Structures are given as C-alpha cells and as structure tokens.
Amino acid sequence: MSVRTRLSAMMFLQYFIWGVWFVTMGTYLGQTLHFTDRQIGLAYGATAIAALASPFFMGVVADRYFSSEKLLAVLHLLGGVVMWLVSLQTSFATFYPLLILYALCYMPTLSLTNSISFHHVRDPGRDFPLIRVLGTIGWIVAGILVGKVFHADALVLPIRMAAGASILMAAYSLILPHTPPKAAGGRFSVHDALGLDSLRLLRNRDFFIFVAGSFLLCIPLQFYYTFANPFLNEIGAPDPAFIQTFGQMSEIFFMLLLPIVLRKFGIKVIMLVGMLAWSLRYFAFGMGDAAAGMWLIYLGILLHGVCYDFFFVSGQIYTDQRAGEKIRAAAQGLINFVTNGLGYFIGAFASGAVVNRYATPNPACSDAAAAAHECLKVTHDWHAIWLIPSAGALVVFILFALLFKPRGGSAQPAVAESVPAGARVG
C-alpha cells in the first residue's frame, strides 16, 4: 500500500469518526434522552472546550516527546473507550463530563493527521488536498449510513459506531509511516510551545479585524452545527442526516472552485460572500418547511460549500499569507483557538439559550409516547429561531465589509497547509 493511500485512508477514518456522531447527537439528546435545549448546546460546546486546550497539548507534549502515529493510536484508543462509556449514559450529569473527556482525546488528532500528511508528501500544494478530500468523503459516508441506511438520527447507534471506528483507527494508526516529533531534542520554551509569537500579528489592523470577524461569525454559526439536525427531524424532512451530506458534497465542488475565484475577486470579496451565505442559509431555514418550502431547506444545506470554503478556508489562506513561514503554524493555531474554541464555545451557550427560549411543551405528548418516539415532547418556533443567527451573521457581514481592508486586492492561493488545517468539517 502506497504512502498516499495510507494517508488517504487515515483521513477517511478520521472524519468518519467525527461525522458519524456529531451531526445527529442533538436529535438523540433531545428526542431520546430528553435533555433540554440548553444542555444540548452545552454538549456541542464540548469540542470547543477541547479546541481551546488542543494547541497547548500539541505545543507542549505532542511536538516534543512522541511520534505522531503512536500518539494518534493512543488518543483514538482512549477516545473509543470513552465514547463507548458516553453511549451508556442517560443523565446529563454523567454524559457531559465524559463527552468533554472524549473531545479532549479527539481534537488533537485533527492536527496530528495533518502533520503526518505534510511530513510525508513531496508537494503539499499538489498532494495534500487530494489526501484531505477523503476526510470530507468519510463525513459523507457517515451521514449516508446514519441517515439513509440505519435511519438512526434519534438512536444511540451513531455514538457506538464512533466508538468502534475510533478503536479501528487506533489499530490502523500503527501501520502509518513513522513521523517523529518535530521539536524533539530542541530547547524547551513555553513561549514557542504555546505559539505566542502569533499574537504580534494582532498589531496589524486588518489581521485584527479578520480575527475579530471570525470570532463573531462563529457565534451564530454554532446554531447550524448544534440544531440543524434536530430542526430537520422536528419538521419532518426526509432522511435528515443523509440530506445534510449534500452540504459536504457542495463543499468539495466549492473547494475546487476556490483557487479560481480567489485569483479573480480577491480575499475580501470571497470572505464576504461566505459570510453572507451564512445569513442567507439561516433565512432559508427560517422560511422553509417540509412541504412546499422544502426547496428552501435544500438551498440552505447546499449553501454549506460557500459558507465553509469561502470564509474559513480562504481565511486560513489569508492567515498563511500574513504570518509567513516562521510563525505559520502558530498563526493557524491562533485562528483555531479563536474560532473552533472561543467562538463555538460562546455560540454553544447562545444557541442553546435561543432555542430554549422558543421551545414549547407539547401537552398532547405523554412521557411514555415520547420515549417510544410517537410524538415530540417539545416543539419549537423554528422560524423565529433561525432569523436570529441570520440577523447576527448579517450584522457581522456589514461590519466586516466596512472595516476589513486587507493589503493588496487578491490572494494567490498556494493551497498547502492552509486548506484544511485542523478546521471543522460539516
């Protein structure tokens, strides 16, 4: 088996594990375990908590003491065991801390799989996107299995599938090519390990506005990741987890389109289009339904490629350009900390609070009927809910359009480390 094939399979498993449980967990927690909307929001904040800690773990431990493939195996083995324990919990008091522990095992593996890939390819700009796209395919396959094959949106099965796939990934990691720690033997520096050099980039006004805009946008973004699947299930959309994979399919298309449009229109225009797409998709969700308005739901899902690629991927490219080679990794870590960490953590609280505000108990649904999935114990005013993140994203879009003035008018997308450096898929 060639190195590229092994790395591609690694990416497939890495993102299959995430996609198989993450998309439908909100529906399982709400419809089956009857957790509150606030609790569901907190649960989706677990990965954000781990994203806050992951850069420190990578800088202090992973980059200095362990080969990447062995550390990947250990983390996925521990994660598989913890995820199985998560699947056995029925109360939030035990479910939540175990989910945080699982996320602390999983989130560092995003950076590890990237570093393993970059270490073993000759031309990252040419080779890495072809390897990394298998991760998106893995996420799509996970959605097809959960939504179309097993119809398991409200079941515990996806969490147990994630546990099994994590253990499989642990075993597979042992046959990956050897990747030594990149800072082994060097003089230890807390300053370097924590990537503090990247903070000086914030002195530049345009980069500061970019970071601030990314942070603010991630707050309304969490509404999609946390509540899109519960929303689709509640309104009676067909095969929700499956149709959500259409978003990843569009992501592949727009990823291929991104280098072309970046050269033609420049980084600011492309990022603004991505921001506006988030507002439009939420508006489409708010105006759509599972009958005559289903086309709006599909439109909102298909906009995912524009939403994700045009803002986040182009933002990683912009960060790579502004940082330069010396502090490239630290700068990407800073963006990951601000977006996947702080932004999504606050967004988890905000989304849970808003959805809870527009929740109404269903008086016709008994506890027994709800447990048998014969009715919904709680219903929501989704029209009002989706208009809130739509308005929030629109405000960020306007502020960003007025304040963000990057140097130069275009970006030359050397699509290397920038393309998917540890960022969320889905």
Side-chain angles (χ1 to χ4, degrees):
M1 186 186 298
S2 69
V3 169
R4 178 181 289 186
T5 300
R6 282 187 283 169
L7 296 176
S8 298
M10 173 191 72
M11 286 296 184
F12 179 92
L13 284 171
Q14 176 71 24
Y15 287 93
F16 176 89
I17 292 166
W18 198 359
V20 80
W21 69 272
F22 189 78
V23 174
T24 60
M25 181 179 68
T27 298
Y28 167 66
L29 297 184
Q31 293 190 15
T32 303
L33 298 187
H34 305 302
F35 289 180
T36 68
D37 295 316
R38 292 181 186 273
Q39 289 173 333
I40 294 171
L42 285 174
Y44 273 90
T47 54
I49 293 173
L52 291 171
S54 181
F56 303 104
F57 173 82
M58 293 298 297
V60 176
V61 179
D63 287 345
R64 313 193 71 85
Y65 302 113
F66 303 99
S67 61
S68 296
E69 78 281 359
K70 291 180 181 177
L71 185 57
L72 188 68
V74 171
L75 288 173
H76 273 296
L77 178 61
L78 291 174
V81 172
V82 173
M83 197 55 139
W84 184 264
L85 295 176
V86 169
S87 75
L88 302 176
Q89 309 308 311
T90 57
S91 71
F92 185 76
T94 56
F95 181 94
Y96 184 52
L98 282 173
L99 185 64
I100 292 175
L101 180 58
Y102 168 76
L104 288 169
C105 292
Y106 180 83
M107 294 306 286
T109 64
L110 296 171
S111 296
L112 284 171
T113 50
N114 284 341
S115 63
I116 290 171
S117 297
F118 286 125
H119 187 83
H120 294 283
V121 296
R122 294 181 179 179
D123 183 348
R126 179 195 65 194
D127 298 332
F128 184 71
L130 298 177
I131 292 170
R132 175 56 184 78
V133 75
L134 265 293
T136 301
I137 294 173
W139 189 288
I140 291 171
V141 171
I144 292 172
L145 287 176
V146 172
K148 195 70 173 177
V149 177
F150 297 116
H151 301 284
D153 291 46
L155 304 181
V156 72
L157 178 63
I159 296 177
R160 293 182 176 170
M161 290 172 66
S166 294
I167 294 173
L168 176 62
M169 178 67 165
Y172 180 76
S173 298
L174 299 178
I175 68 168
L176 291 172
H178 176 60
T179 310
K182 61 184 179 183
R187 186 169 62 88
F188 178 77
S189 165
V190 173
H191 185 276
D192 292 340
L194 300 184
L196 298 182
D197 281 338
S198 63
L199 294 179
R200 72 170 182 259
L201 290 171
L202 297 177
R203 299 173 187 170
N204 299 316
R205 181 183 180 276
D206 58 327
F207 190 78
F208 177 82
I209 295 298
F210 161 69
V211 172
S214 299
F215 164 73
L216 291 173
L217 187 65
C218 282
I219 297 173
L221 263 54
Q222 188 71 318
F223 281 76
Y224 176 77
Y225 295 116
T226 306
F227 289 106
N229 190 260
F231 157 67
L232 294 172
N233 275 279
E234 187 171 318
I235 68 171
D239 301 318
F242 169 66
I243 65 174
Q244 282 185 265
T245 65
F246 298 166
Q248 279 67 48
M249 296 175 191
S250 77
E251 183 184 325
I252 295 174
F253 170 77
F254 285 104
M255 184 77 78
L256 298 174
L257 184 65
L258 182 59
I260 300 171
V261 295
L262 266 176
R263 290 189 181 96
K264 184 173 180 62
F265 298 106
I267 194 76
K268 179 175 180 176
V269 171
I270 297 307
M271 293 177 70
L272 284 172
V273 170
M275 283 183 160
L276 185 60
W278 278 102
S279 180
L280 291 175
R281 86 180 312 186
Y282 287 144
F283 183 77
F285 282 170
M287 301 305 292
D289 56 55
M294 192 63 203
W295 70 273
L296 286 166
I297 304 298
Y298 284 123
L299 175 63
I301 292 171
L302 289 170
L303 277 172
H304 184 76
V306 182
C307 293
Y308 181 77
D309 293 338
F310 279 30
F311 186 79
F312 285 103
V313 177
S314 63
Q316 290 165 357
I317 294 173
Y318 170 73
T319 300
D320 184 79
Q321 293 174 334
R322 291 308 309 268
E325 185 175 353
K326 185 176 180 181
I327 59 171
R328 172 181 295 158
Q332 295 290 353
L334 172 65
I335 294 301
N336 188 55
F337 181 88
V338 169
T339 56
N340 286 351
L342 290 175
Y344 285 131
F345 183 70
I346 295 173
F349 279 93
S351 61
V354 169
V355 174
N356 185 72
R357 168 68 178 79
Y358 292 97
T360 304
N362 184 353
C365 182
S366 66
D367 290 342
H373 305 298
E374 295 175 355
C375 65
L376 293 171
K377 195 173 182 179
V378 177
T379 58
H380 301 84
D381 181 356
W382 290 108
H383 172 74
I385 289 169
W386 289 122
L387 291 184
I388 291 174
S390 177
L394 184 61
V395 169
V396 178
F397 163 80
I398 294 170
L399 292 174
F400 200 76
L402 295 174
L403 299 175
F404 183 57
K405 299 175 181 179
R407 293 185 307 190
S410 63
Q412 297 304 319
V415 194
E417 298 182 32
S418 315
V419 171
R424 179 190 297 267
V425 176

